[in-house]
Structure formats: C-alpha cells, structure tokens
C-alpha cells in the first residue's frame, strides 16, 4: 500500500480526499536563527563550551559547493569512522554519504589544531526562503557531543550573519501518535 512522507498541507488535503488516512510520526526540529542570541543568560553554558573548544584550537570552517575531491576524501573518512562505531546509513528521511551528492552541498566542519576534519554537517536549501536543512551530521566517534554543539552554534551564528531565518534539523519521531498539526509530519497511507 503506498504512503507519502512529509506531504505538504495542500497535497495532504488531496490525498485525504482520495481516502488516504494520516498518521503523525514526528515533528520537524527548526532552529529560529533570527532570534538566537549567544550572549543571553540562558546560553551561558554554550559560551563556556565554545571558549573551551576554542582554547583547544578547534575551528569551524565553511565550504561552499562544489567541494573538491581531496576534501571529499577527508569527509568520507569521518563518515566511515562514524559508521564503524555501530551507526548505520539511514538514507530515507536522513541523508547518507554519497560523494556526488555531498560535493554539490554546502559543508560546515570542525577541524582540530592540525587542520583535520573531526565533524561536519552538510546543508541544503529547504526550498523555503531564509531556511536551510541540515542533511547529514557526522562526528569522529572518539570525540564528545560537545564538538557537535560547537559546530551547531557556529553554524547558527554564521548563517544568522547571512540573514537566514531558520535551520531545519529534520524530523524528530513522535513518542505519542497524535492528530495532525501544522508542525507535524504526516504519513498518508
């Protein structure tokens, strides 16, 4: 039986008129970049984490497409080490590492003091003005999740400077199946 994932509101109405039913399976996680304020009191612990990683000489770098072959090899190595740690490529609603695809995206990295990539995200247009999607997230398995926090905060600040409004982190599964609302994802079956 067919199903449709992340159908627009307009298509959802059409599918429902064709006797498909809807099931909420999750919510999109969207960061409001325009209102993010690293200097706020509630972000005090984020600033402390940033200072620590800065002191350890980690750097966040931006790479605009097309991504060159040498650099893709380094990204692929980080991805392979992440997968070797028991993770799996998902490839449905989440991205999977594909060299041809990655070279056409924008990439933000965390690099250590020696200039080696230890974490990265790739970003693609969401199709909505002022919004980007984080598609693929990879971290060298020997590092802590604070590296990802460092990467996310710098990514938010970087794109805020470019006047983006939102960064979409994708779907978070619902723990409780509920009726459709404007923030939920529908599977129509």
């Amino acid at each position: 039986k067919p199903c449709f994932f992340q159908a627009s509101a307009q298509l959802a109405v059409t599918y429902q008129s064709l006797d498909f039913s809807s099931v909420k399976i999750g919510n999109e996680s969207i960061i409001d970049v325009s209102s993010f304020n690293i200097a706020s009191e509630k972000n005090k612990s984020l600033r402390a984490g940033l200072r620590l990683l800065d002191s350890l000489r980690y750097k966040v770098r931006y790479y605009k497409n097309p991504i060159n072959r040498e650099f893709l090899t380094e990204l692929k190595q980080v991805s392979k080490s992440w997968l070797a740690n028991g993770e799996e490529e998902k490839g449905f609603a989440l991205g999977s590492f594909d060299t041809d695809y990655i070279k056409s995206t924008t990439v933000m990295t965390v690099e250590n003091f020696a200039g080696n990539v230890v974490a990265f995200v790739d970003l693609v247009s969401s199709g909505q003005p002022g919004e980007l999607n984080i598609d693929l997230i990879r971290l060298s398995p020997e590092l802590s999740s604070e590296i990802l926090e460092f990467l996310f905060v710098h990514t938010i600040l970087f794109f805020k400077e470019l006047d983006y409004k939102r960064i979409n982190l994708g779907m978070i599964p619902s723990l409780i199946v509920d009726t459709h609302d404007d923030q939920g994802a529908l599977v129509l079956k």
Side-chain angles (χ1 to χ4, degrees), residues 1 8-9 12 14 28 30-31 48 50 56 58 73 75 90 113 120-121 125 127 130 142 145 156 162 172 187:
K1 197 170 181 183
S8 68
T14 301
E28 286 187 297
I30 298 175
I31 299 168
L50 294 179
L56 296 171
Y58 284 98
T73 302
L75 296 177
K90 306 294 189 262
F113 68 93
F120 70 91
V121 295
S125 172
E142 69 278 2
S145 60
I156 291 166
L162 295 177
I172 297 174
V187 172

Side-chain angles (χ1 to χ4, degrees), residues 122-188:
D122 78 311
L123 298 115
V124 294
S125 172
S126 70
Q128 301 294 322
E131 184 176 287
L132 288 171
N133 288 344
I134 289 183
D135 186 46
L136 190 65
I137 303 167
R138 292 293 190 262
L139 169 69
S140 295
E142 69 278 2
L143 297 173
S144 69
S145 60
E146 284 82 12
I147 295 287
L148 286 180
E149 191 172 88
F150 184 73
L151 178 56
F152 284 142
V153 170
H154 279 285
T155 300
I156 291 166
L157 295 172
F158 181 85
F159 284 100
K160 182 176 183 171
E161 287 293 317
L162 295 177
D163 209 29
Y164 279 82
K165 306 298 181 217
R166 293 170 302 283
I167 295 178
N168 189 326
L169 298 176
M171 297 300 296
I172 297 174
S174 290
L175 297 176
I176 301 171
V177 176
D178 199 352
T179 58
H180 171 69
D181 63 30
D182 290 339
Q183 300 300 310
L186 291 178
V187 172
L188 296 148

Side-chain angles (χ1 to χ4, degrees), residues 1-185:
K1 197 170 181 183
C3 70
F4 304 92
F5 178 65
Q6 290 186 304
S8 68
Q10 183 179 3
L11 283 175
V13 169
T14 301
Y15 296 146
Q16 288 171 338
S17 74
L18 296 170
D19 290 329
F20 285 86
S21 58
S22 63
V23 178
K24 181 178 176 179
I25 60 169
N27 289 310
E28 286 187 297
S29 177
I30 298 175
I31 299 168
D32 182 357
V33 172
S34 60
S35 68
F36 182 78
N37 181 2
I38 191 65
S40 74
E41 181 62 31
K42 72 178 182 176
N43 287 329
K44 186 176 182 178
S45 65
L46 282 179
R47 289 191 304 278
L50 294 179
R51 281 192 303 276
L52 172 64
L53 291 167
D54 282 337
S55 74
L56 296 171
R57 299 182 13 211
Y58 284 98
K59 300 283 183 223
V60 175
R61 298 205 195 287
Y62 167 79
Y63 295 89
K64 188 170 173 58
N65 64 15
I67 305 297
N68 71 49
R69 183 169 299 286
E70 251 178 58
F71 189 59
L72 281 169
T73 302
E74 191 171 0
L75 296 177
K76 178 120 180 128
Q77 188 55 45
V78 173
S79 186
K80 280 184 175 181
S81 69
W82 181 80
L83 291 169
N85 197 38
E87 299 292 341
E88 294 180 14
E89 290 283 15
K90 306 294 189 262
F92 176 64
L94 301 172
S96 58
F97 195 97
D98 176 87
T99 303
D100 289 332
Y101 172 70
I102 297 293
K103 75 180 176 185
S104 70
T105 67
T106 297
V107 175
M108 298 287 291
T109 65
V110 175
E111 298 173 15
N112 64 16
F113 68 93
N116 300 315
V117 174
V118 296
F120 70 91
V121 295
D122 78 311
L123 298 115
V124 294
S125 172
S126 70
Q128 301 294 322
E131 184 176 287
L132 288 171
N133 288 344
I134 289 183
D135 186 46
L136 190 65
I137 303 167
R138 292 293 190 262
L139 169 69
S140 295
E142 69 278 2
L143 297 173
S144 69
S145 60
E146 284 82 12
I147 295 287
L148 286 180
E149 191 172 88
F150 184 73
L151 178 56
F152 284 142
V153 170
H154 279 285
T155 300
I156 291 166
L157 295 172
F158 181 85
F159 284 100
K160 182 176 183 171
E161 287 293 317
L162 295 177
D163 209 29
Y164 279 82
K165 306 298 181 217
R166 293 170 302 283
I167 295 178
N168 189 326
L169 298 176
M171 297 300 296
I172 297 174
S174 290
L175 297 176
I176 301 171
V177 176
D178 199 352
T179 58
H180 171 69
D181 63 30
D182 290 339
Q183 300 300 310

